[in-house]
Amino acid sequence: MKFIIAIIFSVFSLSASAEDGLITQFVITKVVDGSNTKHSYNNAVLVNFNDVHSFDFKGLYSLKLTTRTEDYKKVNVLINLKDLSTGKPYYVGGRATDLTVGESTNFNFNRDGITYTVDIDTSYGKLP
């Protein structure tokens, strides 16, 4: 009987263990052309692989993140960025790239005299 209970508890403990997710840190920089005005915003999120996630960052930006992977080493990251700072959701742009988890990249968008740069750094993290 003790052996059966031990097996049951070990099965439950294995199913309750945390799995790896993707930590994505964003640095969003906005520069108005012809001006010395530069705004940077920094945030990080922990997400599941093979999922779509939307985030609103303090009324400044809305970011949609799609992560696709087959082997959990290389991930296809798709971002869509909106600028919310004017009170209206202004579509900045969207881009996708393949990254090995642990790598960094950046995306540049130019819209109506404003340059946006989104720097992305990736790593593994334990999901709760």
Side-chain angles (χ1 to χ4, degrees):
M1 183 67 170
K2 289 181 184 179
F3 181 70
I4 293 173
I5 293 173
I7 290 174
I8 291 171
F9 280 125
S10 65
V11 168
F12 282 126
S13 67
L14 288 175
S15 65
S17 65
E19 62 181 277
D20 282 337
L22 181 69
I23 295 176
T24 307
Q25 180 163 356
F26 302 94
V27 178
I28 302 168
T29 305
K30 176 181 176 180
V31 177
V32 178
D33 295 344
S35 160
N36 291 333
T37 306
K38 180 178 181 178
H39 300 279
S40 288
Y41 180 75
N42 184 348
N43 208 331
V45 294
L46 172 61
V47 297
N48 292 321
F49 286 99
N50 296 315
D51 210 349
V52 177
H53 310 275
S54 294
F55 306 97
D56 286 335
F57 297 125
K58 297 186 180 183
L60 297 174
Y61 298 101
S62 174
L63 187 101
K64 186 175 182 182
L65 173 68
T66 305
T67 58
R68 295 186 191 111
T69 186
E70 291 180 12
D71 62 3
Y72 297 94
K73 293 178 185 170
K74 217 171 191 28
V75 63
N76 179 269
V77 177
L78 167 67
I79 66 161
N80 289 300
L81 180 67
K82 293 179 189 174
D83 186 343
L84 305 175
S85 64
T86 63
K88 297 178 184 178
Y90 177 75
Y91 180 74
V92 174
R95 296 259 167 69
T97 191
D98 290 324
L99 290 172
T100 299
V101 177
E103 289 183 339
S104 302
T105 192
N106 63 32
F107 299 102
N108 293 306
F109 304 101
N110 292 308
R111 299 286 187 252
D112 298 328
I114 301 174
T115 302
Y116 296 86
T117 303
V118 180
D119 295 304
I120 298 174
D121 183 52
T122 59
S123 60
Y124 291 107
K126 292 292 183 192
L127 294 169

